[in-house]
Amino acid sequence: MNSDTFVRLNRVRGILFDLDNTLYPREKGVFDRINERIDSYVARWTDRPGSEVSSLRREYIDRYGTTLGGLKRHHGVDPGEYMEYVHDVPVEEMLDPDEGLSRFLGAIELPKFIFTNASAAHAARVLAALGVGFHFEGIIDLADTGYLGKPDKQAFASAVGRLGAEPGETLFVDDIPANVQAARQLGILTAHVGEGGNGIGDFSAGKATELGELFAGTSWYRCAGSPQTR
């Protein structure tokens, strides 16, 4: 990390964390199950065969940021019904309490919000299953952004405003390159979590907890065994 980037990191006043495939590994399969239910919902509402669903979803995501954006505009889908259906997956059976993640989040002495394109109800269930919900000040879900969602600029502006910081004082952590790149273009400090992340964000790590090594030395990260700063 160069000195300029560390100075920016030390000035961070709040962090926005993505949820699915960021706080837990993709291999847990939660988002795969959600994707299957999205495909099922799209096929039912658009009367498209399964072979065409993926291309239609990609078109909607490219044009509107989310699959739901296209379904609302072109098919009159009720957002609440959609969100309830696609997130009806047994996260409690797929995720376990993560003590390492909890220690990592507890060492961050800054306001932390979940910023997700999922529903607040789904996010709350995931956080409870991981045993880390108490570390977050709140959840910013798709409804909170007027169903715009990441990577829409207005969605980021809404989330940063909720955090109570300026873009340059905000750190955003996500696994999806397009979201990370969009945040970076807005002057938000970014961290990409997952494989092949070099060069996508200002920082990259295989999993969220590995970011602790990068945060060490800032005024707001309390390393194991060090005294609290506040």
Side-chain angles (χ1 to χ4, degrees), residues 40-219:
S40 172
Y41 194 95
V42 171
R44 176 160 59 89
W45 270 88
T46 64
D47 199 26
R48 298 285 185 99
S51 59
E52 296 180 10
V53 166
S54 293
S55 60
L56 182 63
R57 285 187 61 192
R58 174 50 53 193
E59 176 188 342
Y60 286 167
I61 290 170
D62 289 344
R63 293 178 64 183
Y64 308 113
T66 64
T67 300
L68 177 58
L71 292 176
K72 280 179 59 187
R73 182 178 292 266
H74 298 290
H75 305 279
V77 162
D78 175 76
E81 177 192 275
Y82 168 89
M83 297 295 274
E84 182 177 358
Y85 179 87
V86 303
H87 294 112
D88 185 15
V89 298
V91 297
E92 294 83 2
E93 300 173 10
M94 305 176 75
L95 300 173
D96 299 305
D98 188 333
E99 294 182 4
L101 177 62
S102 187
R103 286 194 297 271
F104 163 68
L105 293 170
I108 300 172
E109 298 181 327
L110 292 173
K112 298 175 286 294
F113 279 79
I114 292 295
F115 180 28
T116 177
N117 282 356
S119 66
H122 169 72
R125 290 174 59 210
V126 168
L127 295 177
L130 294 171
V132 298
F134 65 97
H135 290 296
F136 294 93
E137 277 68 27
I139 297 167
I140 304 163
D141 73 348
L142 192 60
D144 290 324
T145 65
Y147 294 101
L148 295 172
K150 300 173 287 186
D152 188 274
K153 292 180 179 179
Q154 293 183 47
F156 276 106
S158 176
V160 171
R162 177 86 175 273
L163 190 62
E166 297 297 323
E169 301 170 331
T170 300
L171 175 64
F172 172 64
V173 183
D174 200 296
D175 69 296
I176 297 179
N179 295 342
V180 173
Q181 291 166 345
R184 202 174 185 183
Q185 290 171 1
L186 296 173
I188 297 170
L189 200 62
T190 58
H192 177 266
V193 172
E195 298 180 357
N198 290 337
I200 295 173
D202 296 289
F203 313 101
S204 61
K207 56 183 181 179
T209 53
E210 294 174 0
L211 292 172
E213 298 176 11
L214 299 171
F215 297 166
T218 64
S219 60

